[in-house]
């Protein structure tokens, strides 16, 4: 992550800690004295692609700059159940205060990376790439998109300002795919490409005739439209979106898609089983 | 939601929009002229308990105070597939700018409420209540806990400052359940109760003898320990936590639990199928 | 203070300095050259319980991370007039810029701790504790409540979210003490106790019959109602509030109060006499 | 107050409410239903100069823009015990949530204004004015200085950037009063006057000879030095500071002081007795 | 401007006002009573393209939501000397407090728009467009880029995240233009085009061979390299940058440039002569 | 710069970087690997007074606290074309990310300092001083006023709260210069002087008779009014403002002005020619 990503990360971690800590951890304050030291280990409870260790480390550093943290795997690495992926040591109250936020991030982001890896593996050997969507968790987009990269996928747009994507809604309001692409071509900066959703041969033709750089096809209609698109243009990028599943993703890739957008990389994510084991010391 | 919840909501919505909009929606700016008006409808694609309509409304209001929004169901209501749950009208660029953030919130929060309702229904007729945990999505705790209420559940702690809960980790670091409860009793304010995790008859006895107000029992050991706890004390609240599933929740409730904490209310949430249909007007 | 307290403290100190410094200390800039070094000593001008040294140190550290500060007593310690309680050395402009904010905090917070200690001493040997109220200085609650702890008192609620306290106003609007306690019992989380203000034998009975955990009695009526309360219940906590003075506090404690809330711990606080003596060096 | 004062006020009020409300008023949420309406009256419990009504109004408006508020006296007006100084109506939860913050401000600020008025009255008929100092409550300076104006006093510096005041510490570090005034005269902007603390005839002479516009004299030495100063210069402003009390203030004024700075206007302030009486409706 | 632009604008205006007002306009407070009303007119002192009226209006609205403002020309319109471009009425203290910030913005932004228009006019009839650079005033980029649009220019990148532009520095560090373009092509998202600076026929060829979408040529070498570029590729966009002046811009456009980037649109901007005339009423 | 200036500087630099970097430098991320190191040199392209090196350094430090920076001249020093004024080394992505913001600041602020120096030199040997105005770039006032000091000028007011300056507008609304000065004298704090704009002998007399400390005269009428003013009062400060140019400034100084305010110190500033040369290492 670059400077700004890191800046955004630090700022988010602070918000997440405040959300959980409020005025402070009253249980730990009542149970423990201030100077008790402890060690904690993050242990994978199932096979997974790890993501979020860097964020988890940041949680403890935010609470105490002197906390010691050691990662045993890099973000993006695949581990088996039972693997100790990292450990931390410091004051017990710091470990207990950061435990839940660190785990919530780590489990969720590892879920994103693991699912991404499954889709990437499913199309291995094809020319296609697995991409994410904007169906992310509000407030976690940067972290989730980073986990997609760790899983081996690529990022589609980071936001509405990060690339032109004319959806069916836009086309309908503008009077058709052709009009929309044409209007965009004229107004958009010279550094942006134009991507447009198409649902029929006619729309495909309108898109390509008006200079679209990429066309987006619904998964259900993918096989046929991909073939037509390839016949119409050698250079237009072909993107498939919508109801993409582990079952149909390989067929879509083999049909010739360049990019396959998968909602479930970042939506309805299953949190990975990771535990944090604390002991004195 | 009260004033502060609303304040926090507004502030979060602003962050979520900035995350998605960055410097602005360059597609819509290129495709549409500024004054095109449109209507949008939120349509449920499956049976669900609706949650997040208030937040979705706030998304459009934040973008344009003059946007018109109408909810056809209240947050917390159960609807069937096909139900139009709300509609909005205004400038097309406002609807397109808010669509994704509104849907991301609505689908996720309805997922939380719907799953909560399923657990609540599963123990209908018992004295037990379904409660959430701190295993929430960082940044969305307030909204997720609100969705749990809409689903019929109750909230456990909002954060580490919102009630005393001595976990096994605390007890281990403090030298045992008894010592931990005793120490807490002495230090904690008179308005707080003391809840403690116990894993054996001995710990149960230590907890009750030292004045714990509530004991938390792992789901796997629930049936037996609940029985023992009831015999030891008529007034201690019995909380079950851990591997609670739709399959075992009723048995736990019938065994006499007062409160059953379910991780999956807010973890690994399945986003509900909700679409936003836009048309000119 | 824990992490969040410290975070809040640092952030407040920054605000306080900006309030006093505006665009900068134009006198010192005109009078002194930049590199003049100086030493300063905080000297107690009367007997007091010191509170706020940690905050005062933070003032100078905020202005210059390289400022040297040494505390000769710990916050919470009692000192006699003439005692040098701490000293600092660094650039003269830093000392002059921080002097007033540091003193304003130190004098006020020592005033809170000193008055608390007087009340605590006044009931020495009884079972009662001295507690604060929400009658604090807006913006300084955290620091004032910390000073109460240093003086030997305990904190009542930190805010309206930190415990249930049904006041006469609540009861009146809800239709009586009994109704209010009953309604609260049903709605409030299982980790919270219920405290209620009562002004007569009838209200006391309604409170206890409906399961109140603590009752709050006006100081003027304390002696009699405490006796009645003790007869009605062995376990209800008895809190006295209102016109508590150094004159009547011991009688109230001896009558059997568990907790005595004193407005004047944090209201109409007398600033302690502390000076800051600067010399070259 | 002007625009920025108002901006700062609104922002402070928000902080003060968050400090008291945290995650929300759990008692009121449990006791009352959302739509109960109520009325509240602020009643003076003693004779006082009212200050802070505008701020108190802002508290309720911040919580609910539809709250109705009516002031029966203007800030700065003197009232007798028993006077209803304002009333408010709206949702009961809004009134209960704002009550404490509103009262804490109103009682403290009225304390400042009332004490100021007492000093102003004590020197009635002389040419002197009563001024405040920087011994204010951190975070409340703007409001306290406004209350001083309402009490009939004038404001000395709002902060270290708001005027040149060479104190004894500055002079000592700079090598004497004369050197300090001279250096300042050369460096300071042409729109600022130079005020300097003097403790002897010699320092007075040095100050005036080097072009000081105002001299500050300790209260204990006031009478004599004022006389000397008047003899030395017809135009230098004479300010008295330090141990000024209601007992000695008139003598100081009559000795010829132009401005008398009183620490206790804003330090060790006694909160005025004001109550907030709520009833249904 | 869209929602976020407006949000950013409002937030900037607040900062600009605080910068100028500090603790408030002490002159106006001393000279005028609060309720004096006044009218103000913005008058162009020379021929110009107006830009910033919307921002100037926002200044007064921020100070007082009830201020009345009327624009007589739209932003982007060209006016002659003497033209009254807008007027405002409200409280005199509001007009006097906003005057300087409003003028500073209006004069500077009109300077940007006017200079842009001059360059646009200079290439009228050619296929080229005038574009801005990142040589903007820190903190004013959004407003300055908006003024460029009003002047008839187009925006190049809003920031380093808004399009790929490989400069000579990048190429040097990466081992040449060819390597840099190739590496970028592989790593960059499919919605971004690749623009690269070239300084010779060889670099031009490397760029085009590796799939650059646009090449940037120094103004001094423009004529020759444009010709070569056109011969090498029909579709690569040709951008000219660097020492572009009103004298050479037309020749560059006629040589076939698609986009001409002009530093001086936003650098060393001459503030337009605009006055604000206030009168009672 | 003192603490607060530095605080404000750091905070501004962060905003300026965010403005330019958005979600990150996508070109550098695509072209370079993370660990490439580089060196950069700032080279003056013309004769100038350097200002902003400290700010430029802060840019790189903000991006990476480990960046190495070395200034070869002090801010305020005059250099010839070709002079290397500073160099920096660190990771290449850090240098490339900070380059534009650093240059934008350095070129603009050096422009301010250089122009100031030119005016200062033009009046060398007279008693007059060159001062700035409030015609600054919104958001950059503090930095621009600092550059004026570096150029040898003095600062007039930092903002509307930093000194009393009664302009013609004020006087007109108040009923004349005399009334305005008189009213101000009565209301303004004793540490402020009163400056007033005058346009005729009559206004000059009204100002002086009512106790103005400084009078401001339009450049066009300067010679004559300065003479009159000097005859009327030996102590009133004489300030000239308005159409001051390098051509007429010496005559104004020689006519006896104490302070000459020059709009163009900070308005229509010409950015100095400074380049940043990067090479591997």
């Amino acid at each position: 992550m670059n400077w700004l990503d890191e800046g955004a990360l630090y700022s988010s971690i602070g918000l997440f800690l405040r959300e959980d800590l409020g005025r402070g951890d009253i249980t730990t304050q009542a149970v423990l004295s201030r100077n008790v030291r402890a060690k904690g280990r993050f242990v994978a409870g199932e096979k997974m692609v790890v993501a979020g260790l860097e964020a988890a480390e940041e949680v403890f550093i935010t609470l105490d700059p002197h906390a010691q943290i050691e990662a045993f795997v890099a973000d993006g690495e695949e581990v088996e159940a039972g693997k100790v992926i990292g450990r931390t040591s410091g004051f017990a109250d710091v470990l207990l205060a950061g435990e839940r936020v660190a785990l919530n991030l780590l489990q969720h982001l590892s879920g994103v990376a693991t699912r991404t890896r499954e889709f990437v593996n499913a199309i291995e050997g094809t020319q296609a790439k697995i991409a994410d969507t904007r169906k992310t968790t509000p407030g976690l987009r940067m972290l989730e998109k980073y986990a997609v990269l760790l899983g081996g996928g690529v990022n589609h747009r980071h936001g509405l300002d990060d690339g032109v994507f004319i959806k069916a809604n836009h086309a309908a309001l503008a009077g058709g795919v052709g009009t929309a692409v044409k209007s965009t071509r004229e107004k958009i900066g010279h550094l942006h490409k134009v991507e447009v959703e198409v649902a029929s041969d006619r729309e495909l033709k309108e898109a390509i005739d008006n200079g679209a750089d990429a066309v987006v096809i619904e998964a259900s209609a993918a096989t046929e439209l991909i073939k037509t698109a390839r016949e119409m243009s050698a250079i237009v990028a072909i993107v498939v979106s919508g109801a993409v599943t582990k079952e149909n993703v390989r067929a879509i890739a083999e049909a010739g898609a360049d990019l396959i957008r998968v909602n479930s990389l970042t939506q309805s994510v299953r949190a990975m089983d990771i535990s944090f084991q604390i002991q004195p010391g």
Side-chain angles (χ1 to χ4, degrees), chain A:
Chain A
M1 281 184 280
N2 65 21
W3 171 71
L4 275 192
D5 288 349
E6 287 171 8
L9 173 60
Y10 300 163
S11 147
S12 295
I13 298 289
L15 287 178
F16 300 160
L17 282 169
R18 264 189 287 280
E19 183 185 64
D20 194 32
L21 283 166
R23 294 194 185 88
D25 179 356
I26 58 174
T27 305
T28 302
Q29 285 167 21
V31 173
L32 298 183
S33 60
R34 188 85 210 260
N35 294 323
V36 176
R37 295 191 66 87
K39 291 175 183 163
R41 309 188 313 164
F42 288 101
V43 185
E46 61 183 309
K47 182 178 174 176
M48 72 183 69
V49 177
V50 175
L53 264 182
E54 206 176 330
E57 291 174 6
E58 191 55 38
V59 168
F60 295 106
I61 294 293
T62 301
L63 288 165
D64 180 1
H66 301 298
Q68 300 291 318
I69 297 145
E70 199 177 353
F72 295 134
V73 302
D75 271 344
E77 221 171 290
E78 192 165 319
V79 300
E80 300 296 320
K83 173 73 181 176
V84 178
I85 58 178
R87 71 175 170 198
T88 176
S89 67
F91 291 112
D93 57 355
V94 169
L95 269 58
L96 290 163
E99 172 185 13
R100 180 48 43 212
V101 172
L103 278 176
N104 285 349
L105 286 169
L106 200 47
Q107 294 179 281
H108 180 76
L109 296 174
S110 296
V112 171
T114 302
R115 190 174 286 166
T116 303
R117 185 68 55 88
E118 290 165 2
F119 274 93
V120 168
N121 289 343
I123 62 164
E124 207 187 344
T126 71
Q127 85 301 338
K129 289 177 179 170
I130 297 297
D132 53 27
T133 65
R134 285 168 47 245
K135 295 179 180 173
T136 57
T137 311
L140 295 182
R141 182 168 290 171
M142 184 196 72
L143 286 167
E144 290 180 344
K145 295 231 162 202
Y146 182 61
V148 166
L149 294 181
L150 293 172
V154 300
N155 295 327
H156 200 262
R157 298 188 294 176
H158 279 87
L160 289 168
D161 61 336
D162 187 40
V164 173
F165 177 10
I166 304 169
K167 299 198 166 189
N169 276 333
H170 292 104
L173 290 166
V177 163
T179 318
V181 173
K182 191 159 181 293
S183 159
T184 303
R185 262 276 157 266
E186 282 158 14
K187 291 192 201 154
I188 201 69
H190 74 294
L191 292 178
H192 289 290
K193 293 194 175 179
V194 175
E195 181 175 81
V196 61
E197 195 173 347
V198 295
S200 66
D201 285 12
R202 188 177 50 75
E203 288 189 352
L204 190 52
K205 188 169 163 19
E206 277 181 44
I208 290 172
D209 286 356
N210 284 284
D213 298 290
V215 292
V216 180
I217 299 170
E218 265 294 307
S220 53
T223 323
E224 197 158 347
L225 275 178
I226 290 175
K227 193 159 166 289
T228 316
R230 274 287 166 261
E231 290 167 3
M232 284 190 191
S233 160
I235 60 166
V236 72
I238 298 175
V239 182
V240 173
S241 199
V244 177
T245 64
K246 282 181 220 164
E247 285 67 39
N248 67 10
V249 68
R250 187 161 189 96
I252 292 169
E254 290 177 342
D258 294 305
L259 208 67
I260 306 176
R261 300 173 73 231
V262 182
N263 296 334
S264 65
L265 299 192
T266 57
Q267 194 179 53
S268 303
V269 175
R270 186 171 73 78
M272 291 291 105
D273 177 0
I274 303 175
S275 59
F276 185 62
Q277 302 168 350
I278 299 183
Q279 57 182 107

